[in-house]
Amino acid sequence: MRRGLEGIAKKLGLSIATISRALNPSTEHLVKEKTKKRIFDLVQKEGFKPNIKARFLAKMKLNNIVLALPIGV
């Protein structure tokens, strides 16, 4: 059984991106109201809870530059 966004998308015949957009307050306006209702109904029925670790990893940005210098040359 698939879990998370992938499972919801498969059950509704929608893309994972559409599910993600509907569940994100900053992008939910991009999804039709009828589609959002279908998504929210299934999310509530299934007891879906977002995976906080997955969300953190997806948003994590690395802006570090590593410089390695030889010592004692």
Side-chain angles (χ1 to χ4, degrees):
M1 182 169 99
R2 292 185 175 158
R3 303 177 77 180
L5 298 182
E6 186 178 358
I8 294 168
K10 184 171 182 166
K11 287 181 182 182
L12 294 174
L14 299 169
S15 71
I16 295 171
T18 299
I19 305 301
S20 180
R21 284 185 193 108
L23 297 177
N24 184 336
S26 65
T27 57
E28 68 179 340
H29 67 280
L30 300 171
V31 181
K32 293 179 183 178
E33 289 299 321
K34 184 177 177 181
T35 303
K36 277 196 290 191
K37 182 174 180 354
R38 289 177 55 212
I39 293 167
F40 289 127
D41 288 347
L42 183 61
V43 163
Q44 186 174 13
K45 178 183 170 191
E46 298 282 323
F48 172 79
K49 292 193 170 57
N51 184 328
I52 302 301
K53 291 178 184 176
R55 181 179 289 179
F56 174 76
L57 287 173
K59 289 187 175 193
M60 189 171 65
K61 294 180 182 176
L62 298 176
N63 295 324
N64 300 336
I65 297 174
V66 177
L67 180 62
L69 300 173
I71 299 176
V73 176

